[in-house]
Amino acid sequence: MNKGKKLYEGKAKIIYSTNDKYLVIQHFKDDATAFNNLKKSKVEGKGVLNNRISEYLLTSLAQSGIKTHFVKRLNMREQLIRRAEIIPIEFIVRNVASGSLTKRLGVAEGTVLNKPLLEYCLKNDELQDPVVSKEHIFNFEWATKEEIKQIDKMTLRINDILIGLFRGIGIKLIDFKIEYGKSWNKDKGVNEIVLADEISPDTCRLWDSKTEKKLDKDRFRKDLGNIIEGYQEVARRLGILPEIANVKEVNFSKPRSIKFKKK
Ligand code: 5GP
């Protein structure tokens, strides 16, 4: 698989073309941003961990019948994914109140919600990803009624699967953000909705079940320190950290190392 030109660079990832028009390469950077880019930093090793954690989670979801863009991991920072036209909506699922929900509606942080709450936000940094209704989505034709119906169903199923997966390793899934794309299925000759982007501690709130210690990007947003240790803890509990530690990193412009805590 030949890596071609850069097609898109986002805050945490870069997309490159390949010699197959249906496939692209997703590269995970160490850059961390928050509050609409006002807070920026590099968190060494974050890209490597997110690449591996996202691979694990999307592969697990695929095993449960969720269609995703993930094809295979190529190296420490890159994965081969299906090319997809991204629907310009962030799909947020909340199981416990936290973050922007507490600020917007005055709900106390940590309130367990009666049932999973789905929210839609327009993907637009300048407007700070505003919450939108389904009516906005249909009116501005960001997605059709059928697409949203299918996505809502997939999103709730993904939530169920991930809650169980994380519960099994002593982690509460507080909330998360996912994105979907429309991708060409060569075999079927149709465009289909696939789970795209990534699922990682950058895009989820993950609290230790017993201590409620945050193991996600809130450590960066809230200056809690030990950011990478939180991500490593998630990877370790998923059983993928030893594998990361044993693989030599390739494709770096300068040598880097990831530090792992001694047990
Ligand atoms: P909130 O709306 O409370 O800021 O975020 C809800 C959930 O979605 C959190 O898990 C958060 O990490 C994720 N999320 C929302 N918007 C974004 C975004 O623009 N980028 C990333 N990486 N995650 C987001």
Side-chain angles (χ1 to χ4, degrees):
M1 186 58 55
N2 293 332
K3 187 166 160 185
K5 63 173 192 234
K6 191 194 282 188
L7 297 175
Y8 167 82
E9 178 154 7
K11 286 173 278 184
K13 294 185 293 292
I14 308 174
I15 302 292
Y16 295 94
S17 66
T18 69
N19 47 340
D20 182 329
K21 67 176 177 175
Y22 297 110
L23 299 173
V24 292
I25 291 170
Q26 175 162 256
H27 175 107
F28 289 75
K29 301 193 283 185
D30 281 344
D31 301 41
T33 64
F35 313 120
N36 202 27
N37 256 339
L38 284 177
K39 184 169 178 173
K40 283 186 205 180
S41 187
K42 269 204 192 299
V43 178
E44 188 139 336
K46 177 175 82 74
V48 172
L49 286 159
N50 282 353
N51 182 23
R52 192 62 185 84
I53 293 170
S54 195
E55 173 198 10
Y56 183 91
L57 297 176
L58 266 66
T59 304
S60 302
L61 291 168
Q63 282 164 1
S64 298
I66 301 288
K67 285 204 171 75
T68 85
H69 70 166
F70 182 81
V71 178
K72 64 173 180 177
R73 181 160 55 90
L74 297 172
N75 55 52
M76 294 291 275
R77 279 184 189 268
E78 292 176 326
Q79 45 184 245
L80 192 64
I81 57 171
R82 285 169 64 181
R83 189 187 276 262
E85 183 196 335
I86 299 293
I87 293 172
I89 301 292
E90 293 185 342
F91 297 86
I92 313 263
V93 189
R94 300 180 186 274
N95 298 305
V96 175
S98 188
S100 70
L101 180 72
T102 62
K103 296 195 186 87
R104 250 185 294 130
L105 303 181
V107 184
E109 165 101 359
T111 307
V112 177
L113 303 175
N114 287 334
K115 58 177 197 165
L117 178 65
L118 284 187
E119 287 180 337
Y120 312 95
C121 296
L122 180 64
K123 265 172 70 71
N124 185 317
D125 284 344
E126 276 173 35
L127 301 176
Q128 297 171 33
D129 301 339
V131 176
V132 293
S133 68
K134 282 191 193 180
E135 294 310 314
H136 289 107
I137 297 177
F138 304 146
N139 205 308
F140 294 107
E141 299 182 351
W142 293 318
T144 65
K145 282 190 178 165
E146 287 66 36
E147 284 164 351
I148 292 296
K149 194 174 163 201
Q150 189 189 338
I151 286 174
D152 282 355
K153 203 172 155 201
M154 278 172 85
T155 303
L156 291 173
R157 174 103 180 98
I158 289 169
N159 186 42
D160 279 347
I161 299 166
L162 292 183
I163 286 177
L165 189 152
F166 281 118
R167 188 182 289 142
I169 54 169
I171 291 176
K172 277 193 226 174
L173 177 61
I174 304 302
D175 58 28
F176 61 97
K177 182 264 301 181
I178 45 180
E179 298 183 22
Y180 290 91
K182 284 182 263 183
S183 180
W184 186 249
N185 182 326
K186 282 195 280 194
D187 303 327
K188 292 185 185 158
V190 291
N191 243 342
E192 61 188 10
I193 303 265
V194 293
L195 174 66
D197 194 56
E198 70 178 299
I199 305 182
S200 72
D202 264 10
T203 62
C204 303
R205 285 198 173 90
L206 303 168
W207 296 358
D208 178 82
S209 300
K210 280 200 190 121
T211 63
E212 303 214 322
K213 184 179 166 187
K214 297 179 198 307
L215 302 171
D216 57 67
K217 195 174 161 186
D218 270 355
R219 301 206 69 79
F220 170 71
R221 295 187 188 102
K222 294 171 178 274
D223 289 327
L224 299 175
N226 296 328
I227 306 163
I228 207 67
E229 285 78 1
Y231 287 49
Q232 281 173 359
E233 182 62 19
V234 175
R236 190 188 66 76
R237 291 195 200 181
L238 288 172
I240 54 186
L241 199 53
E243 205 178 308
I244 294 172
N246 288 335
V247 181
K248 258 195 166 176
E249 197 160 0
V250 289
N251 273 355
F252 280 159
S253 47
K254 61 180 171 90
R256 299 179 193 201
S257 64
I258 307 172
K259 294 188 184 76
F260 296 99
K261 266 198 219 159
K262 283 199 184 109
K263 280 198 179 164

